[in-house]
Amino acid sequence: MAVVEEKYDIVVVGAGHAGCEAALAAARMGFETILFTVSMDSVALMPCNPNIGGSSKGHLVREIDALGGEMGKNIDKTYIQSKMLNVSKGPAVHSLRAQADKVEYTKQMRLTLQNEEHLTLRQQEVSELIVEPIDGATKVVGVKTVSGAIYHARAVVLCTGVYLKARCIYGDTIQYTGPNGLMAANHLSDSMAAAGIGIRRFKTGTPPRIDKKSVDFSKMAEQKGDERIVPFSFMNCEEDIRREQISCWLTYTNEETHEIIRENIDRSPLYSGVIKGTGPRYCPSIEDKIMKFPDKDRHQLFLEPEGEFTNEMYLDGMPSSMPEDVQYRMVHTVPGLENAKIVRNAYAIEYDCINAVTLKPSLEFQAVSGLFSAGQINGSSGYEEAAAQGLMAGINAARKLQDKEPIVLKRSDGYIGVLIDDLVTKETKEPYRMMTSRAEYRLLLRQDNADLRLTDIGHEAGLIDEERYSCFKAKRKYIESEVARLDTITVGASRSVAEFLEAHGSTPLKTGNTLAELVRRPELSYNDILELDTDREAATEELLSSMTDIEREYCTRHISEITEQIDISIKYEGYIRRQEDQVSHFLKMEGHKIPADINYDEVRNLRVEARQKLKDVKPETIGQASRISGVSPADVSMLMLYLKK
């Protein structure tokens, strides 16, 4: 029987947030790429929370943008509310979060994919990996679809999300579908297992959607967006994306809610044993919250709009797999939701995924050459985590075809580096969620300086074009020049300076100080000291005159970001230097490479557990080996001694 048979450089399986970034990266690097999705309606779908960013996740989105990814640009086009979180704390934990118009987000990303040169978007279920033994190794050479069509490829990226043998569950109701009732992918898991890839089951969940017409907002607290809009993409400024925002609403559960859940806990699939998959610890269902934190008399709930042209509202904080009747009862106990109508039931979803320790840091499978994996299939949770992995998998699949070394971000390079290192090094027992506490070098890895950290890498990969790169270099030059200049200008303890400082609530000088030393004072900023900085206008004019028209326009439009960087660079200089010293020590460990053909059975005095873990993970450096759960500092010492010999 005749079947379709085509050739591509790279096949990407799954068009969620990971697949979109992987396919765009591969295509933009010049490779003919085909992106498969089970449904065009699932492209960049937000089946759960209608937002992008948030604590630590905002860092990931800005890093994706700095490397040349698409997520930041797309949410800037489609947000309906924007907020900077943790502003009462230091800049290391500031995180941008934006409510998205779900339908518009999907529509705009799909349009971007369809308009991308070298990229084909195809609705079809991939059912099989085609692998062959080549030069003594197992190599992927293409995929087959349920229709029997064959797509030959030099590399394949799996971004299957939560669709592999998915089933959605609430109460006794089990539907063998993917999220939002979309078709599950029921065949690929078996093909992966046949190729020697281990499969496990994870679980996540989503809350009910409420009809806006049935809500009494007078009993809730309104949550408005920020006055100042901070874009996710470094190519945008506030004026480019400012629009009218839509409010969210805050309410709470209460003891009546909790009592209904406790009375019916035996009907929850989580507690009855129906659900076998492991759920996320940091995003528990409402029934888990009530049972595990009995001392809490209430829990926050946010009612969030799903878009500008829909009445559906997302009840953030109440994911559940309770039966339908229980969901109605517990929702109706919440202030403002006494007469609420549920548009979509909450449900849990179980799905197949892999143990990411079987991947290299490049996100290529250790056992199958040319096969990469990204997103929730790797055991992570969240749109942002998926997109970050997808971008790196797409880049590295392309670089493999270029015969170049993969780009592997270190933990000191970015949150993306922390995310991927945790996944491939530390065996995660539940869906992994990014948090600021996971990053050891938080002060260096701020969201505001993601471009300064990563744009060089994005340009080297081929995802940052020359115009954007020249603008970036101009911005960096502006910041560095001003920081250096302020350190050379001294003001004396004159009456005019004393009056200025007193007017700003600052202590008068006893001796001369540099302008940089004044900026280090908590009550003063780079903009505040303009009156004392008499050379600034001339210095700025000279700096801008050395730039091209495009660079000058970029720096002028992004002056608020530039002044923020000048402030942070000066105010936190001591802390930044201390963390840079820590990174230097870390990089020494990362510089100790471990030969790929090492025989751990020859390393004396390794504990049995450490020996097995090292064989499983196959760390590429001593630094990575030291982070493997079950490998002690003594084991690392034995390994280093062996390598020296």
Side-chain angles (χ1 to χ4, degrees):
M1 185 179 73
V3 296
V4 170
E5 192 165 355
E6 295 180 1
K7 283 187 177 181
Y8 287 87
D9 293 315
I10 296 173
V11 166
V12 179
V13 183
H17 302 280
C20 290
E21 295 292 352
L24 286 169
R28 288 168 176 172
M29 291 170 72
F31 291 96
E32 291 302 322
T33 304
I34 185 166
L35 172 60
F36 286 100
T37 176
V38 292
S39 168
M40 284 295 177
D41 294 330
S42 69
V43 173
L45 180 69
M46 293 180 164
C48 199
N49 53 310
N51 62 66
I52 295 293
S55 184
S56 77
K57 292 168 179 276
H59 291 68
L60 290 173
V61 182
R62 296 206 104 198
E63 290 181 358
I64 289 166
D65 183 75
L67 288 164
E70 194 65 27
M71 179 175 263
K73 297 186 186 74
N74 206 54
I75 186 60
D76 281 352
K77 293 177 195 171
T78 59
Y79 81 94
I80 55 178
Q81 190 193 90
S82 177
K83 250 189 170 174
M84 187 68 75
L85 306 182
N86 304 323
V87 289
S88 62
K89 301 176 182 177
V93 293
H94 292 180
S95 284
L96 187 59
R97 182 181 189 267
Q99 294 293 133
D101 185 310
K102 281 191 171 185
V103 173
E104 193 63 20
Y105 187 93
T106 296
K107 175 181 155 188
Q108 289 296 328
M109 186 66 85
R110 187 166 61 226
L111 191 62
T112 299
L113 294 164
Q114 290 172 334
N115 287 335
E116 187 64 45
E117 193 179 358
H118 304 301
L119 179 57
T120 300
L121 185 57
R122 182 84 164 88
Q123 178 173 300
Q124 186 59 278
E125 181 187 346
V126 171
S127 59
E128 188 179 330
L129 297 174
I130 304 173
V131 296
E132 293 179 0
I134 298 175
D135 298 329
T138 301
K139 180 172 174 56
V140 69
V141 293
V143 301
K144 188 182 287 188
T145 69
V146 289
S147 67
I150 293 172
Y151 294 85
H152 301 282
R154 298 159 63 197
V156 173
V157 186
L158 300 178
C159 304
T160 54
V162 298
Y163 286 84
L164 294 183
K165 293 190 177 178
R167 61 176 194 161
C168 295
I169 306 165
Y170 56 93
D172 296 327
T173 304
I174 301 177
Q175 297 169 314
Y176 291 87
T177 71
N180 281 15
L182 293 168
M183 187 176 73
N186 291 316
H187 303 91
L188 187 57
S189 297
D190 295 335
S191 177
M192 291 167 61
I197 298 168
I199 302 294
R200 57 180 175 172
R201 294 286 278 179
F202 271 2
K203 165 261 171 191
T204 187
T206 192
R209 276 36 165 212
I210 307 299
D211 186 344
K212 181 180 178 181
K213 298 195 307 290
S214 63
V215 177
D216 182 355
F217 292 106
S218 67
K219 296 182 179 180
M220 300 180 176
E222 187 173 10
Q223 307 287 298
K224 294 185 177 182
D226 289 344
E227 271 298 312
R228 181 196 168 206
I229 306 300
V230 178
F232 273 105
S233 175
F234 288 98
M235 292 308 291
N236 291 326
C237 59
E238 182 177 357
E239 291 71 28
D240 299 329
I241 66 168
R242 174 168 284 282
R243 63 179 65 96
E244 190 173 341
Q245 300 186 62
I246 301 175
S247 292
C248 299
W249 301 84
L250 172 64
T251 185
Y252 295 88
T253 63
N254 51 53
E255 187 50 43
E256 187 181 357
T257 322
H258 302 178
E259 187 56 36
I260 288 170
I261 292 170
R262 285 191 289 264
E263 286 173 357
N264 292 277
I265 197 64
D266 59 318
R267 299 178 63 197
S268 166
L270 274 177
Y271 286 81
S272 66
V274 173
I275 292 175
K276 306 294 184 186
T278 306
R281 184 190 317 178
Y282 299 103
C283 187
S285 66
I286 189 66
E287 51 263 42
D288 252 356
K289 288 181 190 176
I290 304 311
M291 300 308 293
K292 291 180 178 176
F293 305 101
D295 56 314
K296 298 284 185 183
D297 57 5
R298 67 176 190 172
H299 293 276
Q300 277 189 340
L301 301 174
F302 289 94
L303 198 61
E304 302 168 344
E306 296 231 317
E308 189 174 354
F309 302 106
T310 178
N311 276 348
E312 280 189 70
M313 302 195 78
Y314 179 90
L315 190 54
D316 194 355
M318 199 178 262
S320 179
S321 58
M322 280 293 199
E324 186 175 40
D325 62 298
V326 179
Q327 289 189 35
Y328 264 99
R329 288 177 61 197
M330 63 190 194
V331 165
H332 287 164
T333 64
V334 175
L337 301 180
E338 293 87 350
N339 300 301
K341 293 181 179 179
I342 294 177
V343 180
R344 306 189 200 207
N345 289 329
Y347 61 85
I349 183 167
E350 275 190 324
Y351 54 94
D352 284 352
C353 60
I354 69 162
N355 187 341
V357 296
T358 58
L359 301 174
K360 300 175 183 178
S362 63
L363 296 179
E364 184 181 17
F365 279 90
Q366 296 171 5
V368 184
S369 177
L371 182 63
F372 294 78
S373 183
Q376 285 189 261
I377 186 177
N378 287 350
S380 64
S381 69
Y383 311 142
E384 302 84 0
E385 289 91 337
Q389 293 171 67
L391 177 63
M392 299 312 298
I395 289 172
N396 287 329
R399 286 179 73 86
K400 188 175 182 73
L401 302 193
Q402 293 171 335
D403 291 323
K404 292 181 179 178
E405 286 293 310
I407 291 176
V408 176
L409 299 180
K410 297 181 287 296
R411 298 181 74 89
S412 56
D413 290 330
Y415 273 64
I416 296 176
V418 174
L419 163 68
I420 294 175
D421 184 67
D422 280 353
L423 287 172
V424 304
T425 303
K426 303 173 182 178
E427 192 167 1
T428 55
K429 303 294 185 182
E430 73 262 335
Y432 177 98
R433 178 179 178 177
M434 193 70 238
M435 294 181 290
T436 51
S437 59
R438 297 190 191 273
E440 304 93 314
Y441 311 113
R442 288 189 291 281
L443 188 54
L444 299 181
L445 308 183
R446 306 183 311 276
Q447 60 152 23
D448 58 78
N449 71 349
D451 60 336
L452 299 173
R453 291 184 279 113
L454 298 174
T455 301
D456 284 324
I457 296 172
H459 178 255
E460 195 261 325
L463 294 179
I464 300 293
D465 63 34
E466 291 305 324
E467 182 177 308
R468 176 173 177 178
Y469 192 52
S470 70
C471 290
F472 157 73
K473 289 192 292 184
K475 173 185 172 180
R476 181 167 59 190
K477 178 182 176 183
Y478 195 134
I479 294 164
E480 291 174 350
S481 297
E482 277 298 271
V483 169
R485 187 182 67 82
L486 293 177
D487 215 22
T488 63
I489 298 175
T490 302
V491 292
S494 66
R495 175 171 298 214
S496 61
V497 171
E499 289 173 352
F500 168 86
L501 293 173
E502 286 172 359
H504 286 78
S506 195
T507 308
L509 299 176
K510 293 181 179 177
T511 59
N513 269 200
T514 65
L515 291 179
E517 287 171 318
L518 292 182
V519 172
R520 288 191 188 98
R521 296 185 174 192
E523 65 276 8
L524 294 176
S525 70
Y526 174 69
N527 283 336
D528 289 336
I529 64 161
L530 178 59
E531 184 181 324
L532 302 179
D533 189 5
T534 54
D535 294 336
R536 185 180 303 182
E537 186 177 342
T540 302
E541 209 170 294
E542 182 181 351
L543 191 59
L544 292 175
S545 68
S546 68
M547 299 178 185
T548 66
D549 290 344
I550 292 172
E551 293 168 351
R552 194 179 308 117
E553 182 191 358
Y554 180 87
C555 288
T556 302
R557 289 171 63 243
H558 291 80
I559 192 63
S560 61
E561 297 167 32
I562 290 170
T563 56
E564 179 185 31
Q565 286 306 305
I566 294 168
D567 268 326
I568 292 172
S569 298
I570 293 173
K571 284 183 181 296
Y572 294 89
E573 182 186 15
Y575 298 104
I576 289 171
R577 280 185 182 167
R578 192 180 309 162
Q579 201 146 92
E580 286 172 343
D581 289 341
Q582 294 170 353
V583 168
S584 296
H585 175 72
F586 161 76
L587 291 178
K588 288 177 184 176
M589 297 286 279
E590 297 303 300
H592 284 283
K593 298 290 184 183
I594 298 175
D597 60 352
I598 187 173
N599 182 355
Y600 287 107
D601 290 326
E602 294 180 355
V603 183
R604 297 180 61 187
N605 299 322
L606 276 183
R607 293 174 306 112
V608 174
E609 180 189 10
R611 199 182 306 275
Q612 189 57 52
K613 288 291 182 72
L614 289 165
K615 288 179 180 179
D616 290 343
V617 176
K618 297 182 177 64
E620 296 186 355
T621 67
I622 288 292
Q624 187 186 357
S626 70
R627 295 188 294 276
I628 298 173
S629 175
V631 176
S632 70
D635 296 319
V636 173
S637 296
M638 293 300 104
L639 182 56
M640 290 180 71
L641 187 62
Y642 172 81
L643 292 175
K644 284 178 182 175
K645 288 182 179 178

